[in-house]
Amino acid sequence: MDLFDSIAADAQFRRVGSAPTPAHRAEADALLEGLNPEQKAAVIHQGGPLLIMAGAGSGKTRVLTHRIAYLLATGRAQAGEIMAITFTNKAAAEMRERVGALVGDAQGRRMLVATFHSACVRILRQNYDPAGLKSTFSIYDMQDAQRLLGMVLKAQDVDVKRYTPRSIGARISDLKNELITPSEYISTMGSDPVSQIVAAAYPEYNRRLRQANAVDFDDIIMLTVQMLSENPAIAEYYQRRYRHILVDEYQDTNHAQYVLVRHLVGIGANAVAPGELTVVGDSDQSIYAFRGATIRNIEEFEKDFPNAQTIVLEQNYRSTGNILSAANAVISRNSGRRPKKLWTASGSGDRIVLDALDSEYEEARNVIRHIEALNSEGADWGDIAVFYRTNAQSRSMEEMLMRSGIPYRLVGGTRFYERMEIKDALAYLQAVVNPEDTVAIRRILNTPRRGIGDKAETAIMAHADRYGLSFGAALDAVTQGETIDGLSPRAATSVAEFWTMLADIRTQAESGASTAHVLDELISRSGYLAKLRESEDPQDASRVENLAELLSVAEEFDVERRQSGETEGTLAAFLERVALVADADQVPGDDDRRGAVTLMTVHTAKGLEFPYVFVTGLEDGTFPHRRSMEDMSELAEERRLAYVAITRARKKLFLSRAATRSAWGQSEAMAASRFLDDIPEETVEIGREPTRETYGFSSGTSTSSNSGIAFGSGKPGSLQSTFVKSQPTKRLGSPAVGGGKLGQASAKPALKLEPGDRVKHGKYGEGTVTGIDGSGPQAVARVDFGGTQKRLLIRMAPLKKL
DNA sequence: GAGGACTCGATTTTT
DNA sequence: TCGAGTCCTC
């Protein structure tokens, strides 16, 4: 980075920015067409910090994209001076695309639109040294971080049953989100046992992270903030570079992110005049407090940033009047909020349908009944979404959908990138990129089994600790022929073989081999793939497919990189991309959504909209969640979550609950959700009610203050939980192909396929080849299985040509 | 060191 | 109910 260049460039921007031509004027004015007065004000606002309080469906993204386009069209900013921060990669891509559509793709590409995390990784990679890292640093996800923390806790003789890595990790995460360093913590902590453990584990955990040349999610923000505050010259560089900072979903920022924003804008920090800051948010949609987000940031915006102005958007362009009334009623019960009422110029629309069923299976069946009706009235499956509070609830829904043959798509849950085989493969890649990555290396050291067991691992660890080496360096020593106490010659040979293989592949990677090639080499030469293919376990068959899918993701990534001309650090970039994907990134866009019902948690649904929305599990204990019912602030967050769920619906909203729900195989009586009590009676039509026999007494025992629509409140204890015996459910749609068969399939010479061929797949059935990517052993077929698109590695997938 | 049987705890929500 | 982690035997 060259400061003088940037200053010179900056001066040039300034000049261009001063005088809009008439052509510019017309283009800029066109951007204001069709906006309401508040939206218009938000778009043209100039100067001081701006807070846009954007209610659900109030055209927030439109305002943000038009504001950026307006800045560009009036010449107030160059694309390269704009940094827009979102919470998901998908939102970032969407914003870039929409701005591109307004002002041209070339401009769109020159802006920095990214999530907090990817923007910070970018900054850290550019300044790894002052941040105390090496350029190849790894990013640990929660799983990796907990693994490392587990090692630390065990080394410190902590009872990890009582104090789990998960709970201690959550505490450390909170501290990092508050930018509290280990030494600061020690001087302020309490004396309870947990605090003691945290105080001891936190510094050691950080030390081991740095030793492994790795950062966790929270470090990404915290280290960036620390680096910027310790290096004013670097901070100044970014302040000069980015003159317009826009932050979406500001209500979800935590303290560290807030401080980061201040650094980027540069409030009085140095000679540079502060950049223009725009934040957009809705405190009623703050649903990430558990992750450290604080509404404070949005509530105190005007105090934090002098001369700030606030614009409130309340007109809703998404939902019907009934849906908005329900949403307003639910959220209005939260105290201490800045009053805000959504309104719509369109009519009240259909009533909200409220159904109560006997069990979660009945509830699922009921949803399907409605879905089929909607579909026969002409709705596309893709216009329909089903939401639930927790991922575990998706199961009953999925089973019923499979039976009914309705195509569906589940977003989130056990994520692709969290699956064992994917994590293993990525750990191999990580070990190639960063030879000091202890967690990655230890994960794959004996996977597949190669005779390096606990004893050997412990011996190597001890050796590393004694000489202050990283785990990788100790493996290196073994490979060089050094003998280590407690390491058998057999194990040593195995270690040397393993490490030599990695080194060899690393050489290939460094001399420019593609990501896909490196990945393929790793899973083949390590024996990982062979092991899975030999297995009789049908689960392993789908693992092989998942690896094939990962390979095709890598292939796609390689192509993308080649096209963009970036050839350096491709492997690291791939790992980075993969580490920072979120559930929400997997949500298909409007066009790809067609043809399948979408299932997801309410959290994942934030920011989306569907014509038809089902919110399920409206029971006290499910939604609001049991663990949030005691604490007032947590209950308030549940209420905001309900508000988010309701406001996703455009045309019609279906709410349902089950009178009994089974958790851990045990059926339990559930009372109606308190949120149902708040929904105005006139907006609702009561559909099904639970069958009488389920209950000791009749329905209508609602404690509701105003409406009494909490129909059929099942009083716990008043029923025999054995009553609703859902039939034993078999997992349907399990892979029809066993591991053995698959092994054969892949042993055969690769199938010759071309677009238009009909094929039969062991799991997905018959489909049509729509395209072939790549060639030779990496050839991937794009196959359409009756609306579901799949990418399959021809060499490995259980495919037959018809 | 590997593989199988057994126990125990888990369900919030996630960048 | 189910998966991960632990213990035990070969």
Side-chain angles (χ1 to χ4, degrees), chain A residues 116-333:
Chain A
F116 269 107
H117 291 266
S118 42
C120 285
V121 168
R122 193 177 168 134
I123 294 174
L124 287 177
R125 293 250 189 245
Q126 284 166 355
N127 304 276
Y128 57 88
D129 196 44
L133 299 166
K134 294 180 194 159
S135 67
T136 54
F137 65 85
S138 303
I139 298 167
Y140 282 1
D141 65 12
M142 222 169 54
Q143 251 184 59
D144 299 328
Q146 279 177 21
R147 249 176 130 90
L148 184 68
L149 184 57
M151 296 178 201
V152 169
L153 293 174
K154 277 190 197 126
Q156 296 183 338
D157 280 324
V158 173
D159 175 6
V160 287
K161 275 262 163 64
R162 183 80 221 89
Y163 306 101
T164 58
R166 187 192 151 110
S167 62
I168 304 297
R171 290 282 297 261
I172 294 177
S173 173
D174 288 347
L175 293 172
K176 289 186 173 181
N177 287 332
E178 288 289 318
L179 298 175
I180 298 170
T181 61
S183 54
E184 282 165 352
Y185 180 63
I186 286 168
S187 61
T188 59
M189 61 180 242
S191 58
D192 58 296
V194 180
S195 297
Q196 301 285 336
I197 292 167
V198 171
Y202 183 16
E204 177 61 10
Y205 165 72
N206 268 357
R207 196 183 67 77
R208 297 248 214 152
L209 274 173
R210 288 310 94 80
Q211 191 183 45
N213 188 24
V215 299
D216 65 21
F217 276 149
D218 307 309
D219 281 339
I220 292 175
I221 313 291
M222 184 170 180
L223 290 178
T224 306
V225 169
Q226 287 178 336
M227 191 272 295
L228 290 176
S229 71
E230 287 161 13
N231 299 275
I234 296 173
E236 206 179 306
Y237 165 79
Y238 287 104
Q239 287 155 16
R240 287 186 193 279
R241 174 116 172 65
Y242 297 105
R243 301 301 301 155
H244 293 266
I245 310 284
L246 301 99
V247 185
D248 195 12
E249 308 281 16
Y250 193 66
Q251 77 284 352
D252 289 333
T253 52
N254 59 35
H255 178 67
Q257 289 162 336
Y258 159 72
V259 176
L260 176 74
V261 169
R262 290 189 75 97
H263 275 296
L264 291 173
V265 175
I267 306 282
N270 47 43
V272 189
E276 267 192 49
L277 175 65
T278 305
V279 308
V280 188
D282 178 2
S283 35
D284 289 336
Q285 292 187 68
S286 161
I287 54 174
Y288 287 109
F290 70 92
R291 206 167 72 190
T294 118
I295 311 190
R296 181 221 158 267
N297 289 348
I298 202 164
E299 284 173 345
E300 307 279 294
F301 184 80
E302 288 166 345
K303 277 189 209 146
D304 292 338
F305 298 94
N307 308 321
Q309 198 185 324
T310 301
I311 292 173
V312 186
L313 306 179
E314 288 177 304
Q315 182 172 3
N316 176 294
Y317 296 94
R318 179 188 294 155
S319 311
T320 67
N322 279 336
I323 292 168
L324 291 183
S325 304
N328 281 330
V330 167
I331 198 67
S332 67
R333 307 266 300 217

Side-chain angles (χ1 to χ4, degrees), chain A residues 515-516 549-563 574 577 773 780 782 791:
Chain A
T515 313
E549 184 150 349
L550 181 67
L551 216 45
S552 71
V553 171
E555 172 113 335
E556 222 168 293
F557 184 79
D558 286 330
V559 171
E560 201 180 298
R561 291 285 282 196
R562 244 175 278 137
Q563 281 169 355
F574 177 70
R577 159 92 57 102
D773 301 322
V780 169
R782 289 197 302 269
R791 296 175 54 86

Side-chain angles (χ1 to χ4, degrees), chain A residues 41 47 213 242 320 356 366 383 411 418 439 509 600 689 714 763:
Chain A
N213 188 24
Y242 297 105
T320 67
N366 181 60
D383 292 338
V411 183
E418 279 168 11
V439 171
M600 67 186 114
E689 299 194 39
K763 183 168 156 193

